[in-house]
Amino acid sequence: MTLPLPDQPSLPPSVPALSLRGIAKRFGGKIAVDGISLDVPSGSFFGIVGPNGAGKTTMLSMATGLLRPDFGTALVQGMDVWAHPLEAKRLMGILPDGVRLFDRLTGEQLVTYAGLLRGMDRAVVSLRVRELLEALDLTQDAGTLVVDYSAGMTKKIALASALIHAPRVLVLDEPFESVDPISAANIRDILDRYVASGGTVIVSSHVMDLVQRMCDHVAVVAAGRLLAAGTVDEVRAGASLEDRFVQLVGGRSKTEGLEWLRTF
């Protein structure tokens, strides 16, 4: 399936797809994101990795206009997300983590609604909905209410809704979570072709091997701070990405003891 890019003026390659400057967020006494600055190159497949509670979802929520930062700015292809939210959001497709869908619609209705909400022509929406449902193996479930979808199917229909308007920048929070291997391979093919055509994908994931194979750039986030960023080869510095991640983040637990596990 080909995802055409929207009719937007081309920007110089030097303009980052996403630029964060000193972005920060506190919840009560907890600092969730502590002044992160990061540039995501246009046309890159950019992975964001970090342990649970690292601040990845909070950072991406602020970057995409879902959560207002306490400090800092977020620019999407040079457009300030918070000063010009409508213009910035037209450039993005977002698969957020934990945000509820309109699950009393069928899968086909939900993706159609997402396209019409973007102001797209109904005939174009209809064609793209059919193609997306087929590419994501959801055609047989097009008439099923989203509330009755499995976790993996829900993830895929949310991805279809993010893709419908062919955005220039895709921000995907754990897109492969709960998705079966065949569907995951299909999604990777779609995203690879999207990046090859000039789009930018930003994906958070806990699966280091997947990020290492799929992404050309990566950032490591822990305790709300950016520990490393660059090409995958630069960040892993000759080691596997998983080993380098453990070196940067630390905190690996000792596995001695637990003798009771060996008494069965």
Side-chain angles (χ1 to χ4, degrees):
M1 183 190 69
T2 301
L3 289 175
L5 292 175
D7 295 328
Q8 299 285 350
S10 298
L11 292 175
S14 58
V15 177
L18 175 68
S19 182
L20 305 180
R21 288 293 176 267
I23 203 161
K25 188 68 179 180
R26 178 193 294 267
F27 297 103
K30 177 179 173 58
I31 298 176
V33 177
D34 190 9
I36 287 179
S37 295
L38 175 68
D39 284 335
V40 175
S42 293
S44 65
F45 206 134
F46 199 102
I48 298 175
V49 298
N52 292 328
K56 302 186 300 298
T57 293
T58 301
M59 181 182 75
L60 292 178
S61 296
M62 292 188 289
T64 55
L66 296 176
L67 179 67
R68 185 174 292 277
D70 295 334
F71 302 100
T73 58
L75 305 176
V76 174
Q77 293 214 309
M79 186 71 66
D80 191 310
V81 172
W82 291 98
H84 306 284
L86 294 180
E87 293 86 346
K89 289 178 181 179
R90 288 191 185 103
L91 299 170
M92 292 186 285
I94 307 169
L95 177 62
D97 181 55
V99 175
R100 291 194 60 186
L101 304 174
F102 295 106
D103 57 12
R104 294 294 172 176
L105 297 177
T106 67
E108 183 176 15
Q109 289 171 339
L110 179 65
V111 184
T112 299
Y113 174 70
L116 295 177
L117 194 63
R118 295 281 186 174
M120 297 172 59
D121 178 77
R122 183 175 288 274
V124 174
V125 169
S126 180
L127 175 62
R128 291 190 183 181
V129 167
R130 288 198 302 272
E131 291 183 344
L132 283 165
L133 293 177
E134 181 178 359
L136 294 169
D137 194 26
L138 289 171
T139 301
Q140 291 186 343
D141 301 290
T144 301
L145 295 179
V146 175
V147 70
D148 294 324
Y149 276 12
S150 67
M153 291 165 62
T154 301
K155 184 75 72 171
K156 290 193 291 183
I157 204 68
L159 177 60
S161 298
L163 291 168
I164 184 68
H165 63 296
R168 288 195 174 273
V169 181
L170 274 173
V171 183
L172 312 176
D173 199 351
E174 295 289 352
F176 300 103
E177 189 176 42
S178 304
V179 176
D180 66 86
I182 295 175
S183 294
N186 290 338
I187 291 171
R188 288 198 301 272
D189 287 345
I190 291 170
L191 298 181
D192 284 340
R193 290 197 295 271
Y194 171 80
V195 171
S197 70
T200 304
V201 173
I202 304 167
V203 56
S204 75
S205 178
H206 291 102
V207 184
M208 299 298 156
D209 181 60
L210 181 66
V211 171
Q212 183 169 285
R213 288 186 290 109
M214 189 171 57
C215 298
D216 48 59
H217 288 69
V218 66
V220 180
V221 177
R225 296 182 178 180
L226 181 67
L227 301 186
T231 66
V232 171
D233 287 340
E234 288 171 347
V235 171
R236 67 191 184 97
S240 71
L241 185 59
E242 183 173 1
D243 289 343
R244 183 61 176 148
F245 175 83
V246 172
Q247 292 173 8
L248 289 167
V249 174
R252 186 167 183 173
S253 301
K254 295 181 179 180
T255 57
E256 292 86 355
L258 303 179
E259 287 81 3
W260 53 270
L261 272 178
R262 298 187 289 277
T263 60
F264 57 86

